[in-house]
């Protein structure tokens, strides 16, 4: 007997057809098997109950480093990187993460490769090889990962909160690790990091501290037999589960106000209270109840009041950083400049709202409403990707009893006024930590956090001070929310007589085009609606682009206090600017969707500019443009690449330049001109009958086009907008060098882009197959072996139907020109691999790509995005996957080699390449030298993006207006 089936009824969604079985192997490994005969992908996740809290003293980051090391090789599979290579070649992906008290390893793969993938995965926990050579290399990778985080405000502020806690509590530690903590300091003390790594693994990684989820296509019995054979050899040393008692915050760490300087422009206010861990009362859901009310955004809420006063642009509330021993309740507020000047009032209003909740007591009707929304959400949840599902469930297994492994804390079901009120009593001024972030504090701080160098100052803030602020705070009408009218009550499924597996053009006029697809797969009471307003004026200049952006943000702002309840009830909406206009999307329960849609459409049609809100949104947009320079260097490289390739893209500096000159009156004049000519592209899918879809489209047309004084007229044929992409010249490698925008960032980055063709099924699959075969070798060579940088990616690229591949690498170790040279060296090395590839390996890769294309959409949102992509790009190839599978089945190995030789190979006559070099501060001195050394006649430096763009021919667009003319 090597496994005990533990009979327990696991609570699962009503519409979930999957089967579940809990097992405990003889080595005490706890397992959940999920059988899903309909799945295309199989997945597994191992959650190890050991995290960064268990790092030995003086070896910060060791648990995270071990997570990296297990991917290299094992005694059974000694070839370095063979695990990742196998997963990638068989259509899968793999990753891991280290948290405070657990480390989670996971992968997915095509179903027919699951058994071998699982065997390779199991060796992580049986006999991994951690060679001395790999150890040194991977410490550099950990250090590169840390370098990537050094100028990211999220990491900086999180570490500062940890720093201002008890030094003897593991929460205080630096969990990521770097070259200093894992190499320099241990060596100085005579400590061998690799020996410590092996010792840590031997002592901590025990089967009794592990939880495994496997998600397969086979029956429960067959899966059980498989997993027992693979995982029974994991050692059980009966390691004691680490317990970190006590709270990280003692009294000296409470009642503090921390002023800190972020990297990015803006102001934030964060409140943190140490509280009783919500997991101890997860069925009563006190933190969920409090987060729901304090984070509410409808009329009477804290955010509603702060927004009305012009002091805040965002608010979030809820429990975070929790364990079974301690937890924090957090409230985060994004402040305007005016809000920054009224922080005392904001602190007071928050505590006045908490006081209101304390005086109101726990309200059963609010809890019941929250429980109803949660229950509907659980039972009608979208089916997730298996890889995401197994990670969630294996993480839950560490904390919850087996019957709640699928549910976790998502289903509050017991109303307990005492527990809710007890949680409220913990949110007091005596218990609070306030972190106030603003670049205005620069030069006014005296302290530095040691790991990230974050500047801060610290002062005590007593309860009487906050009481005084409360006494003189604005007298605003704070109150509990009204009942939620958007909670779905009709969850019935519509019967559509004509089952359509692909979208159809249901309705067409000079004003609009309506694509429609009923739900034939998911059987959920949900719908998806997207309407894109194509308005020629929107993208005609940097000013019009920014004004359109402000217009969409104002719409969201105006709708927020009305539509927030819809989002609480599982009905989501968004209004966004696009390259050719703006887009409205709604997705969720169809019961009340029409009500929300009509409100949104009427708000657009009757748009008014409120000068007070215009000022707030303009300030927000200004800061976002100013903060562009703090993006990661690889993101800057991607921006430059898109700016070079896309005909209708404006530079962020041009857009930033126009913002100060915009005012409410300009938008008042712009709006009627913007909307005066429009064409509406619409896609409606899901639990919706054809006549309902047509009725929605007719309603929208009536509002804009069919009234006595219409807001909009049909576009002239010449006005239908198209996205055009620059066609690079064959045989030329263009180079665009650019200085990194943040002088404090040492990281450099490159994009090495190879443009191949415009959408064509045969060429598409050749390109995708090359990317699949080369992806893992590129990662292994450029990151694992050469250690160029933590961010090392090879991926397929699609610009409005123009296809190519791109290498993205970010590095502090080497400069852009060197990295670009290493990419070309890799491609030369890859030639022989491709030419000498055994026929069976080629066939295996082809089958892997076919399996990836056979993968069904998991939910309505995923399916709708796929079809909308075809509509938005004008390609309209709804049967794309079937056609590409047919092309793959005909593809020969010689054809792939010929394709590589013609389009990808270094020096190929038809190759079209573009290298973007972004120089960080550690390499900026080499930039002029690198530019001067570009002497090869086949390498052309781009001096000016816009001159270059104007000089090149463009690919024709698939989108030729409502008649679908091909340009």
């Amino acid at each position: 007997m090597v496994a005990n089936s533990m009979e327990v009824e696991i609570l699962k969604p009503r519409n979930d057809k999957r089967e579940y079985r809990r097992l405990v192997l003889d080595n005490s490994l706890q397992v959940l098997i999920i059988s899903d005969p309909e799945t295309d992908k199989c997945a597994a996740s191992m959650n190890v109950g050991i995290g960064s809290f268990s790092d030995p003293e003086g070896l910060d980051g060791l648990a995270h480093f071990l997570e990296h090391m297990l991917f290299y090789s094992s005694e059974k599979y000694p070839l370095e990187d063979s695990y990742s290579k196998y997963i990638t070649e068989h259509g899968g992906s793999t990753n891991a993460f280290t948290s405070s008290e657990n480390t989670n390893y996971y992968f997915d793969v095509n179903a027919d490769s699951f058994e071998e993938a699982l065997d390779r995965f199991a060796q992580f926990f049986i006999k991994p090889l951690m060679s001395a050579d790999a150890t040194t290399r991977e410490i550099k990778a950990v250090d590169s990962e840390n370098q990537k985080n050094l100028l990211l405000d999220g990491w900086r502020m999180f570490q500062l909160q940890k720093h201002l806690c008890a030094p003897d509590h593991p929460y205080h530690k630096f969990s990521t690790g770097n070259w200093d903590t894992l190499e320099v300091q241990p060596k100085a003390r005579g400590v061998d990091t690799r020996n410590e790594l092996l010792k840590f693994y031997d002592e901590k990684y025990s089967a009794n501290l592990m939880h495994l989820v496997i998600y397969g296509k086979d029956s429960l019995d067959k899966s059980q037999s498989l997993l027992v054979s693979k995982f029974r050899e994991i050692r059980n040393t009966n390691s004691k589960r680490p317990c970190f008692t006590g709270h990280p915050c003692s009294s000296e760490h409470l009642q503090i106000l921390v002023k800190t300087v972020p990297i990015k422009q803006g102001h934030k206010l964060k409140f943190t209270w140490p509280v009783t861990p919500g997991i101890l009362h997860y069925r009563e859901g006190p933190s969920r109840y409090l987060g729901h009310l304090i984070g509410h955004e409808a009329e009477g809420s804290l955010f509603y009041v702060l927004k009305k006063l012009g002091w805040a642009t965002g608010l979030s509330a809820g429990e975070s950083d929790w364990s079974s021993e301690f937890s924090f309740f957090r409230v985060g507020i994004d402040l305007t400049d005016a809000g920054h000047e009224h922080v005392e009032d904001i602190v007071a209003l928050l505590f006045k709202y908490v006081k209101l909740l304390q005086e109101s007591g726990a309200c059963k009707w609010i809890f019941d409403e929250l429980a109803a929304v949660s229950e509907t959400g659980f039972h009608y949840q979208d089916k997730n990707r298996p890889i995401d599902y197994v990670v969630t469930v294996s993480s839950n297994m560490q904390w919850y009893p087996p019957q709640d492994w699928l549910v976790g804390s998502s289903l509050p079901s017991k109303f307990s006024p005492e527990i809710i009120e007890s949680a409220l009593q913990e949110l007091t001024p005596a218990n609070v930590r306030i972190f106030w972030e603003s670049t205005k504090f620069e030069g006014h701080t005296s302290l530095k956090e040691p790991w990230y160098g974050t500047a801060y100052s610290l002062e005590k803030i007593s309860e009487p001070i906050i009481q005084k602020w409360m006494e003189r705070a604005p007298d605003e009408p704070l109150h509990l929310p009204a009942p939620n009218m958007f909670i779905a009550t009709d969850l019935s499924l519509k019967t559509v007589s004509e089952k359509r597996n692909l979208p159809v053009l249901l309705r067409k006029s000079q004003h609009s085009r309506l694509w429609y697809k009923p739900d034939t797969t998911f059987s959920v009471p949900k719908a998806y609606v997207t309407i894109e307003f194509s308005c020629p004026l929107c993208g005609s200049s940097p000013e019009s682009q920014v004004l359109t952006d402000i217009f969409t943000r104002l719409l969201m702002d105006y709708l927020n206090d009305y539509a927030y309840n819809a989002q609480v009830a599982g009905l989501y909406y968004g209004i966004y600017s696009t390259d050719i206009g703006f887009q409205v999307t709604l997705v969720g329960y169809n019961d009340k969707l029409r009500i929300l849609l009509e409100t949104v459409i009427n708000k657009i049609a009757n748009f008014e500019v409120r000068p007070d809100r215009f000022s707030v949104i303009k300030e927000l947009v200004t800061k976002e443009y100013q903060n562009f320079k703090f993006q990661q260097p690889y993101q800057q490289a991607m921006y430059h690449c898109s700016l070079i390739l896309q005909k209708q893209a404006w530079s962020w500096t041009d857009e930033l330049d126009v913002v100060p000159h915009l005012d409410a009156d300009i938008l008042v004049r712009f709006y009627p001109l913007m909307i005066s000519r429009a064409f509406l592209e619409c896609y409606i899918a899901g639990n919706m009958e054809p006549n309902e879809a047509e009725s929605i489209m007719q309603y929208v047309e009536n509002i804009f086009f069919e009234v006595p004084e219409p807001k909009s007229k049909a576009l002239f044929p010449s006005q239908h907008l198209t996205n055009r992409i620059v066609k690079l010249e064959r045989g030329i490698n263009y180079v665009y060098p650019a200085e990194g925008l943040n002088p404090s960032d040492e990281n450099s980055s490159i994009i090495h882009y190879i443009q191949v063709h415009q959408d064509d099924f045969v060429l598409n699959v050749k390109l995708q197959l090359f990317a699949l075969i080369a992806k893992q070798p590129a990662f292994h060579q450029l990151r694992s072996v050469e250690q160029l940088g933590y961010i090392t990616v090879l991926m397929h690229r699609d610009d409005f139907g123009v296809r190519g591949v791109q290498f993205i690498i970010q590095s502090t170790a080497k400069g852009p020109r060197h990295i670009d040279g290493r990419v070309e060296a890799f491609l030369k090395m890859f030639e022989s691999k491709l030419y000498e590839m055994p026929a069976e390996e080629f066939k295996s890769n082809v089958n892997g790509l076919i399996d990836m294309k056979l993968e069904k959409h998991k939910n309505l949102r995923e399916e709708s995005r796929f079809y909308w992509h075809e509509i938005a790009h004008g390609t309209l190839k709804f049967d794309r996957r079937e056609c590409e599978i047919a092309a793959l089945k005909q593809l020969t190995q010689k054809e792939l080699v010929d394709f590589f030789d013609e389009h990808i190979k270094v020096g190929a006559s038809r190759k079209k390449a573009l290298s973007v070099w972004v120089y960080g501060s550690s390499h900026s001195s080499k930039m002029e030298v690198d530019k001067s050394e570009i002497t090869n006649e086949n390498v052309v430096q781009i001096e000016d993006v816009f001159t270059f763009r104007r000089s090149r021919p463009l690919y024709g667009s698939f989108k030729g207006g409502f008649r679908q003319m091909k340009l």
Side-chain angles (χ1 to χ4, degrees):
M1 183 73 171
V2 289
N4 300 303
S5 179
M6 312 295 284
E7 288 303 323
V8 59
E9 188 170 349
I10 295 171
L11 182 60
K12 69 175 191 174
R14 280 193 288 271
N15 63 347
D16 188 352
K17 298 172 186 170
R18 295 169 291 202
E19 292 183 300
Y20 298 85
R21 179 181 293 170
R22 179 199 175 201
L23 295 176
V24 179
L25 304 195
D26 278 357
N27 58 3
S28 296
L29 174 67
Q30 293 214 47
V31 183
L32 181 69
I33 307 171
I34 305 173
S35 171
D36 180 4
E38 297 177 357
T39 193
D40 309 292
K41 279 263 167 70
C42 295
S45 170
M46 178 73 89
N47 190 80
V48 184
I50 295 292
S52 58
F53 278 8
S54 297
D55 285 347
E57 198 63 41
L59 278 165
D60 286 19
L62 192 70
H64 176 222
F65 176 43
L66 174 58
E67 171 225 304
H68 277 238
M69 287 301 300
L70 293 191
F71 282 80
Y72 268 87
S73 58
S74 63
E75 197 172 282
K76 186 171 182 181
Y77 298 99
L79 189 63
E80 198 171 281
D81 209 45
S82 66
Y83 162 76
S84 298
K85 179 175 181 288
Y86 183 85
I87 296 289
T88 303
E89 288 179 352
H90 293 86
S93 59
T94 179
N95 215 327
F97 62 85
T98 305
S99 296
S100 300
E101 297 185 65
N102 65 293
T103 306
N104 199 298
Y105 303 85
Y106 52 95
F107 75 89
D108 67 358
V109 75
N110 294 334
D112 60 359
S113 307
F114 189 44
E115 182 171 349
E116 184 171 341
L118 206 60
D119 191 57
R120 292 169 179 271
F121 182 64
Q123 300 307 311
F124 279 35
F125 315 102
I126 297 170
K127 284 190 177 175
L129 294 178
M130 293 183 260
S131 70
D133 177 50
T135 301
T136 304
R137 279 187 277 128
E138 205 56 27
I139 292 175
K140 289 180 182 175
V142 169
D143 186 68
S144 178
E145 182 177 358
N146 180 62
Q147 290 280 346
K148 167 186 73 73
N149 300 335
L150 287 178
L151 296 177
L152 297 179
D153 281 328
W155 283 96
R156 293 166 70 86
M157 298 308 161
F158 180 50
Q159 189 63 42
L160 179 59
Q161 292 187 39
K162 299 205 307 176
H163 178 65
L164 296 174
C165 282
D168 60 350
H169 194 285
Y171 186 76
H172 180 80
K173 289 179 177 180
F174 171 55
S175 58
T176 312
N178 60 21
W179 183 255
D180 195 45
T181 66
L182 294 169
E183 176 70 15
V184 178
Q185 290 181 22
K187 193 170 275 185
R189 299 194 311 270
V191 172
D192 185 312
T193 300
R194 180 167 176 267
N195 288 344
E196 292 299 317
L197 181 77
L198 297 172
K199 181 178 164 190
F200 186 84
Y201 178 85
D202 287 342
E203 290 179 358
K204 307 290 187 184
Y205 272 46
S206 175
N208 68 304
L209 301 183
M210 298 181 184
H211 293 89
L212 172 68
V213 180
I214 70 163
Y215 189 115
K217 203 176 180 77
D218 294 330
S219 68
L220 291 174
D221 288 342
K222 190 171 180 183
S223 293
Q224 177 172 331
S225 173
L226 174 67
L227 84 90
V228 168
S229 69
K230 305 295 182 195
F231 291 91
R232 64 185 173 190
E233 290 179 42
I234 298 177
R235 292 176 311 119
N236 177 17
T237 60
N238 285 312
S239 283
K240 191 177 177 186
R241 182 170 299 282
C243 184
F244 305 97
T245 55
H247 203 281
C249 297
S250 57
S251 58
E252 68 182 281
H253 305 112
L254 304 176
Q255 293 186 38
I256 58 172
L257 173 61
V258 181
K259 294 176 181 175
T260 177
V261 183
I263 298 293
K264 290 188 173 181
Q265 295 289 323
H267 325 282
K268 295 180 189 291
L269 202 54
K270 294 178 181 173
F271 301 81
T272 302
W273 292 266
V275 294
T276 304
I279 193 162
L280 303 179
H281 306 291
Y282 69 92
R283 289 196 178 98
E284 292 82 3
S287 294
R288 185 143 182 161
Y289 179 93
L290 298 184
H292 169 66
L293 291 176
I294 297 172
H296 216 281
E297 298 184 16
E299 188 184 352
S301 67
L302 173 64
F303 179 68
Y304 179 85
V305 166
L306 295 177
K307 184 180 140 185
K308 189 179 77 171
L309 291 166
W311 295 348
T313 57
L315 186 148
S316 61
E319 189 180 12
S320 65
D321 277 353
W322 59 267
S323 75
S324 57
E325 295 290 326
F326 70 89
S327 185
F328 294 98
F329 189 88
R330 291 206 166 105
V331 175
I333 304 174
D334 297 324
L335 305 178
T336 61
D337 289 345
H340 178 72
E341 302 302 323
H342 285 273
V343 160
E344 291 179 9
D345 290 327
I346 293 169
V347 172
L349 285 166
L350 170 59
F351 279 105
K352 282 180 82 169
Y353 192 76
V354 171
K355 187 179 178 187
L356 165 73
L357 297 183
Q358 290 167 342
E359 290 170 351
S360 304
C363 297
K364 188 171 189 305
W365 75 266
I366 293 176
F367 182 88
D368 288 346
E369 200 175 80
L370 189 59
V373 167
S374 300
E375 186 170 2
T376 304
F378 176 70
H379 287 295
Y380 293 97
Q381 64 184 275
D382 288 339
K383 198 171 182 181
N384 234 343
R385 296 191 310 158
I387 193 169
D388 298 327
Y389 194 52
V390 294
V391 170
T392 299
V393 176
S394 68
S395 300
N396 282 349
M397 289 167 72
Q398 182 167 334
W399 303 104
Y400 299 95
Q403 62 266 30
D404 290 329
W405 280 351
L406 308 184
V407 174
S409 298
S410 68
L411 213 54
S413 54
K414 288 184 182 175
F415 178 60
S416 171
E418 300 78 21
I419 289 174
I420 291 171
E421 286 159 20
S422 173
L424 260 171
Q425 294 308 317
E426 294 183 299
L427 307 187
T428 65
N431 213 17
V432 76
R433 293 150 54 86
I434 304 175
F435 291 80
W436 183 3
E437 303 171 27
S438 175
T439 44
K440 289 194 174 182
F441 295 139
E442 196 155 359
H444 301 283
T445 59
S446 56
L447 300 167
K448 269 198 172 174
E449 187 279 319
W451 296 109
Y452 291 83
T454 308
Y456 72 97
S457 65
L458 177 66
E459 59 193 84
K460 293 297 273 187
I461 179 167
S462 67
E463 198 164 357
I465 289 174
I466 293 177
Q467 291 295 347
K468 276 185 189 171
W469 294 352
M470 289 172 71
E471 287 162 17
R472 61 173 189 248
D475 187 21
E476 293 292 334
L478 294 164
H479 59 77
L480 296 175
N484 190 343
M485 62 169 279
F486 282 103
I487 294 176
T489 51
D490 179 3
L491 299 167
S492 61
L493 298 179
K494 308 283 175 74
T495 305
V496 179
S497 55
E498 196 176 343
K499 300 289 185 189
R500 306 176 191 270
N501 290 322
L502 297 175
V504 292
L505 184 59
L506 197 60
R507 183 180 185 276
K508 184 169 77 169
S509 75
Q510 63 175 333
H511 304 304
S512 70
R513 190 163 54 172
L514 169 62
W515 299 92
Y516 166 75
K517 185 187 176 301
D519 177 11
T520 55
T521 308
F522 309 111
S523 302
V524 289
K526 297 179 181 180
Y528 187 101
V529 176
T530 284
I531 306 171
E532 182 166 64
F533 288 71
S534 176
C535 305
L537 190 59
C538 287
S540 61
S541 68
E543 287 93 341
S544 59
Q545 191 81 56
V546 176
L547 285 167
T548 305
D549 185 26
I550 292 175
F551 157 73
T552 60
R553 290 171 188 252
L554 278 171
L555 283 168
M556 294 283 284
D557 185 79
Y558 297 162
L559 285 159
N560 188 64
D561 44 290
Y562 169 79
Y564 179 77
N565 273 323
Q567 302 198 66
V568 168
L571 178 55
Y572 304 95
Y573 78 104
I575 308 168
Y576 313 101
S577 60
T578 67
D579 293 324
I580 61 171
F582 63 95
Q583 183 176 310
V584 177
T585 299
L586 290 88
V587 58
Y589 300 111
N590 56 277
D591 182 24
K592 306 286 189 345
L593 185 143
R594 179 72 182 254
I595 298 167
L596 180 59
L597 178 67
E598 290 185 5
T599 305
V600 171
I601 293 300
N602 278 287
K603 205 59 133 177
I604 296 170
N606 301 300
F607 179 70
E608 294 178 356
V609 182
R610 286 169 40 194
D612 60 329
R613 297 313 297 166
F614 179 91
S615 298
V616 169
I617 298 301
K618 177 182 170 181
E619 180 190 314
L620 191 67
V621 167
T622 303
K623 285 173 184 165
E624 286 186 13
Y625 279 116
Q626 289 170 338
N627 285 329
F628 182 87
K629 61 179 171 285
F630 300 116
Q631 284 192 326
Q632 293 267 301
Y634 81 89
Q635 294 170 312
Q636 294 176 31
M638 290 171 76
Y639 156 78
H640 289 304
C641 191
S642 295
L643 192 66
I644 290 166
L645 293 174
Q646 291 180 20
K647 174 182 179 284
Q648 201 62 24
W650 305 107
S651 124
W652 74 277
T653 50
D654 291 352
E655 292 178 350
L656 175 60
D657 284 347
V658 305
V659 175
H661 309 293
L662 301 178
D663 58 31
D665 288 340
I666 292 174
L667 183 56
V668 168
R669 295 192 296 273
F670 174 77
Y671 167 73
L673 290 171
M674 177 192 80
I675 205 74
S676 65
R677 294 277 174 184
F679 181 79
L680 277 50
E681 189 88 70
C682 182
Y683 175 71
I684 297 179
N687 195 36
M688 192 86 75
E689 293 169 354
N691 61 323
E692 289 179 277
E694 290 194 69
S695 169
I696 285 173
M697 200 68 250
Q698 187 62 60
Y699 177 84
V700 178
E701 273 201 23
N702 289 346
I703 293 289
F704 287 96
F705 300 100
E706 307 293 347
V707 287
E709 293 183 18
K711 300 277 182 187
S712 307
K713 293 180 181 176
L715 292 186
F716 293 115
S718 59
Q719 286 184 295
H720 283 273
L721 294 172
T722 56
N723 289 299
R724 305 285 296 278
I725 298 298
V726 165
K727 184 183 281 189
L728 301 177
E729 190 171 339
R730 290 175 180 167
I732 299 293
N733 184 14
Y734 295 97
V735 174
Y736 180 67
E739 198 144 355
L741 298 170
N742 180 5
S744 300
D745 198 331
E746 296 182 0
N747 289 281
S748 293
S749 185
I750 69 141
I751 283 187
H752 186 100
Y753 166 63
I754 301 168
Q755 188 181 74
V756 179
H757 68 285
Q758 192 170 30
D759 194 33
D760 171 278
F761 292 141
V762 174
L763 284 170
N764 289 355
V765 298
K766 290 177 182 176
L767 184 67
Q768 291 161 13
L769 189 59
F770 160 74
L772 177 69
I773 294 170
K775 179 182 176 181
Q776 196 55 38
F779 179 86
H780 178 64
Q781 180 62 31
L782 299 173
R783 188 196 132 169
S784 300
V785 176
E786 299 187 26
Q787 288 296 315
L788 292 180
Y790 177 74
I791 296 174
T792 302
V793 180
L794 165 60
M795 62 189 291
H796 174 254
R797 181 175 175 128
D798 178 3
D799 294 281
F800 304 104
V802 176
R803 307 298 184 101
V805 289
Q806 59 185 359
F807 292 81
I808 305 170
I809 302 174
Q810 182 167 299
S811 177
T812 50
K814 299 291 181 182
R817 189 177 179 206
H818 176 89
I819 299 169
D820 207 35
R822 297 316 302 158
V823 169
E824 295 219 324
F826 165 75
L827 286 172
K828 285 177 182 171
M829 187 176 75
F830 183 75
E831 285 177 29
S832 56
K833 173 183 168 52
L834 192 63
Y835 298 160
E836 296 160 16
M837 179 180 285
E840 60 271 19
E841 188 177 339
F842 170 78
K843 190 66 181 169
S844 173
N845 279 292
V846 168
N847 290 337
L849 188 54
I850 289 172
D851 285 346
M852 290 165 74
K853 291 184 178 297
L854 286 170
E855 191 176 340
K856 295 186 283 285
H857 298 296
K858 301 293 176 291
N859 52 60
L860 178 64
R861 189 188 298 244
E862 187 183 302
E863 178 190 82
S864 297
R865 283 176 176 166
F866 176 85
Y867 291 129
W868 176 252
H869 182 271
E870 295 291 332
I871 294 165
H873 285 194
T875 43
L876 301 181
K877 294 172 180 173
F878 300 130
D879 60 348
R880 171 177 302 281
R881 298 197 296 185
E882 291 79 4
C883 294
E884 289 184 349
I885 287 168
L888 266 172
K889 288 178 176 176
Q890 299 298 314
L891 185 66
T892 67
Q893 191 164 349
K894 182 181 183 305
E895 287 172 326
L896 179 65
V897 169
D898 290 345
F899 169 83
F900 175 84
D901 287 347
E902 191 174 340
H903 297 285
I904 310 292
K905 183 177 178 177
V906 176
S909 60
R910 293 173 65 88
K911 183 174 181 177
K912 299 178 289 184
L914 166 64
S915 295
V916 177
W917 298 348
V918 172
Y919 286 78
S921 60
S922 57
H923 308 112
S924 56
S925 61
K926 298 176 184 173
M927 182 170 160
E928 291 306 317
V929 175
D930 288 350
K931 286 161 68 172
S932 68
E933 291 178 354
I934 297 174
T935 54
N936 188 320
E937 62 182 16
N938 295 325
V939 179
V940 175
Q941 184 184 331
I942 297 173
E943 301 281 354
D944 177 78
V945 169
F946 305 106
T947 303
F948 171 76
R949 219 163 63 177
R950 287 190 290 268
S951 72
R952 293 300 309 153
L954 304 172
Y955 280 99
S957 171
F958 288 105
K959 194 156 190 173
F962 72 95
R963 292 190 183 86
Q964 279 306 107
M965 297 178 296
K966 211 168 183 179
L967 298 183

